[in-house]
Amino acid sequence: MNISSQTLQLFQKLYESLKPYHSFISSNTAILAYSGGKDSRLLLEFYNYLYISNLSPPPILFHLNHNIRDTRDEVKEIHTYLKANFPNFMFIYKSSNILKLSKRIKKSLEETGRLVRYKHLNQLSKKCSGYILTAHHIEDYLETVLINLIRGSGEAGLRSLPVYSNNIFRPFMLLPREEMRQILEMEKWQVFEDETNYSQNYLRNRLRITLTPLLYREGLNPSKLYKNFHNSEEPFFSHQRIEIPTYIKVFLEPIECIQTNTLKKILDNYLSILNLHPIRREILLELQTLLQNHQSFTKENVETYFWKSEKSPLYIIPKKSGVFQNPRLNVQKDKIEIEWNNSSKNYPSYLTLNVFSKGLKIKSGKIHKEISEILRTAEIPFPVRPYIPILFNSNEPEVILLSLWNRDLKDFFSR
């Protein structure tokens, strides 16, 4: 880890200030919004410190190309650099024509980029059962407050950018402005700064360049302002329910580039999130061989199923998971409620509940389609399929409740 002793001390200090979040950090995967600029590079280095110190699983790095300017060579350079310097971190890249989209939806470039970025980040966090990690800091808070005031916001505008909200974690809100600048001045990390950060075509940039320096000269302390409107003593997740995932998807591409010891670290981190024991070496080596063959497989040990189709990510499913329990049916006056996999759905009361069995078919147009084929296409792991809830109408399958397995899937209806 190539950082100075002073930066290491400041990282340790920041981690201590995040004490209410330690359990959360150690047991969940971060989806790090990496722009390539100095702030996201600092966040990357902080999470590399946490990872090396066994305080956090390896984060997944996400980068969105806005295509406002030609950045093809820069994206290749970013990918090459990250792969060489952070080989244990997965890098996911997406591209979107923000200029064209902003004109179509009639929003600013900044707002359009934010909408697209968080759409991808939210999808990734759901797939990986993780949380979104951003490099927002106290100066971002001040700029956001000013924008909110310009737009007529009330007190709520002063409560912007809490350390954690809506599955977004912002640890740098607790990093003092002076210490952040100290680290960035000491370290000579390579960054890929977006030239649009200095364009006065954007409101946030105009405020950063013209107004905030004036406020600082007049004595404004953004950290004090932040603390006045954010209760740091409030217990973390005091209003939220934390649940252990019933399964986790693990993205391991390209598997040929992942060494055995690195694969063990990755899998052990996910197993820890699921409250499972570290993987034994003989199982690890078998899994590595199966993954490198790029074929479908089901592998199990005493407490876990490992399942992968030819094109899907690797699924890790505890044998004690709720997906291996039969769905529950609650009959109400004019509807039924089906509960399974920590989710529930309501349907008309004339339907009855059953589960998948071999050879079962459902009407699809002019033919009857094998339900096993539908479950395979939907990436339902083989060991889970006997528990998938299916609603019947007059002894015929009517609805396959795929959404109870994965909220991003639509239920399959007989038609």
Side-chain angles (χ1 to χ4, degrees):
M1 187 174 180
N2 188 24
I3 62 174
S4 66
S5 58
Q6 295 97 321
T7 295
L8 182 59
Q9 290 174 4
L10 292 175
F11 278 172
Q12 291 168 342
K13 180 182 175 183
L14 174 60
Y15 180 67
E16 285 305 311
S17 73
L18 294 165
K19 190 172 183 178
Y21 305 84
H22 284 183
S23 177
F24 174 74
I25 292 170
S26 66
S27 59
N28 293 278
T29 298
I31 317 300
L32 193 158
Y34 178 75
S35 67
K38 61 182 186 302
D39 296 341
S40 64
R41 177 58 193 267
L42 178 55
L43 184 61
L44 173 56
E45 291 290 347
F46 177 58
Y47 261 70
N48 189 39
Y49 154 76
L50 295 180
Y51 169 66
I52 291 173
S53 303
N54 292 317
L55 299 172
S56 169
I60 295 172
L61 311 181
F62 170 79
H63 179 78
L64 175 67
N65 180 9
H66 290 199
N67 287 297
I68 295 175
R69 57 190 178 87
D70 188 356
T71 57
R72 287 171 293 182
D73 292 339
E74 182 179 291
V75 168
K76 290 179 182 178
E77 188 179 357
I78 289 174
H79 194 182
T80 301
Y81 183 81
L82 293 176
K83 188 175 179 181
N85 291 275
F86 303 93
N88 294 331
F89 297 174
M90 185 182 304
F91 177 64
I92 294 177
Y93 164 75
K94 296 290 183 180
S95 179
S96 180
N97 192 325
I98 299 299
L99 180 59
K100 183 178 180 181
L101 180 60
S102 70
K103 292 178 180 178
R104 182 162 64 85
I105 65 176
K106 298 181 180 179
K107 291 186 178 294
S108 69
L109 288 173
E110 187 177 25
E111 177 66 9
T112 304
R114 191 188 70 81
L115 290 171
V116 174
R117 184 165 59 254
Y118 278 99
K119 175 186 176 182
H120 288 300
L121 286 168
N122 281 309
Q123 288 174 345
L124 273 173
S125 67
K126 287 180 181 178
K127 287 181 179 180
C128 304
S129 301
Y131 63 95
I132 298 168
L133 177 67
T134 73
H136 286 113
H137 50 80
I138 204 68
E139 292 187 353
D140 292 320
Y141 167 70
L142 177 56
E143 293 162 10
T144 301
V145 166
L146 293 172
I147 291 172
N148 289 339
L149 291 175
I150 290 170
R151 293 173 178 170
S153 173
E155 185 178 329
L158 293 162
R159 301 188 184 279
S160 300
L161 301 183
V163 176
Y164 180 90
S165 65
N166 299 321
N167 202 36
I168 303 173
F169 187 44
R170 309 174 182 92
F172 285 177
M173 300 312 301
L174 300 184
L175 179 63
R177 176 172 170 246
E178 298 75 18
E179 293 181 5
M180 186 171 192
R181 289 191 170 186
Q182 183 182 344
I183 295 172
L184 292 172
E185 288 173 2
M186 283 190 300
E187 307 297 340
K188 304 302 179 184
W189 295 317
Q190 182 172 354
V191 296
F192 304 88
E193 200 71 69
D194 189 340
E195 62 190 30
T196 60
N197 287 341
Y198 305 100
S199 170
Q200 296 204 29
N201 292 329
Y202 303 93
L203 173 59
R204 185 177 292 272
N205 291 351
R206 293 197 296 273
L207 294 173
R208 183 184 306 128
I209 294 168
T210 61
L211 183 55
T212 58
L214 173 62
L215 295 174
Y216 287 134
R217 287 197 297 271
E218 293 296 332
L220 175 68
N221 185 334
S223 293
K224 184 176 180 180
L225 182 67
Y226 185 84
K227 290 177 182 177
N228 286 338
F229 291 94
H230 297 81
N231 184 3
S232 60
E233 300 301 321
E234 181 181 352
F236 183 52
F237 291 132
S238 61
H239 59 291
Q240 300 182 46
R241 180 183 176 189
I242 305 175
E243 293 180 342
I244 297 173
T246 53
Y247 65 89
I248 283 180
K249 287 182 180 182
V250 183
F251 296 83
L252 294 168
E253 298 294 339
I255 184 62
E256 290 81 5
C257 298
I258 302 177
Q259 297 180 350
T260 304
N261 289 339
T262 301
L263 179 62
K264 177 170 173 56
K265 286 182 180 180
I266 293 171
L267 294 180
D268 283 351
N269 278 316
Y270 286 113
L271 290 168
S272 175
I273 292 171
L274 293 166
N275 279 350
L276 300 173
H277 292 93
I279 193 167
R280 295 176 63 181
R281 186 165 181 81
E282 58 268 28
I283 297 292
L284 173 69
L285 295 175
E286 289 182 48
L287 272 179
Q288 188 173 32
T289 300
L290 290 167
L291 289 165
Q292 289 174 344
N293 288 338
H294 299 285
Q295 295 177 346
S296 303
F297 65 83
T298 302
K299 184 68 183 175
E300 64 178 294
N301 60 18
V302 174
E303 59 182 7
T304 317
Y305 282 107
F306 299 93
W307 180 88
K308 187 182 183 308
S309 71
E310 188 175 340
K311 296 182 180 180
S312 77
L314 174 69
Y315 284 76
I316 303 177
I317 317 168
K319 290 185 175 180
K320 60 185 178 183
S321 169
V323 300
F324 297 120
Q325 297 177 3
N326 286 320
R328 293 173 53 188
L329 174 66
N330 299 317
V331 180
Q332 302 176 17
K333 184 177 180 181
D334 56 350
K335 63 182 179 181
I336 56 173
E337 180 187 47
I338 297 90
E339 295 182 0
W340 184 70
N341 190 27
N342 295 334
S343 298
S344 64
K345 292 204 78 169
N346 294 322
Y347 274 96
S349 58
Y350 64 83
L351 298 172
T352 58
L353 175 65
N354 211 320
V355 291
F356 170 72
S357 59
K358 189 176 180 180
L360 196 61
K361 296 183 178 182
I362 188 170
K363 189 176 180 182
S364 179
K366 296 182 179 180
I367 64 170
H368 281 75
K369 194 170 185 178
E370 290 274 359
I371 292 182
S372 60
E373 175 62 19
I374 296 170
L375 299 183
R376 185 192 67 78
T377 303
E379 289 185 5
I380 310 297
F382 188 79
V384 177
R385 294 177 192 177
Y387 301 90
I388 290 290
I390 300 176
L391 297 178
F392 281 66
N393 183 11
S394 301
N395 297 319
E396 288 291 327
E398 182 80 11
V399 188
I400 308 171
L401 299 182
L402 301 176
S403 62
L404 293 187
W405 163 255
N406 181 343
R407 292 183 179 90
D408 292 333
L409 295 176
K410 294 181 179 179
D411 294 336
F412 187 97
F413 289 83
S414 171
R415 53 189 182 273

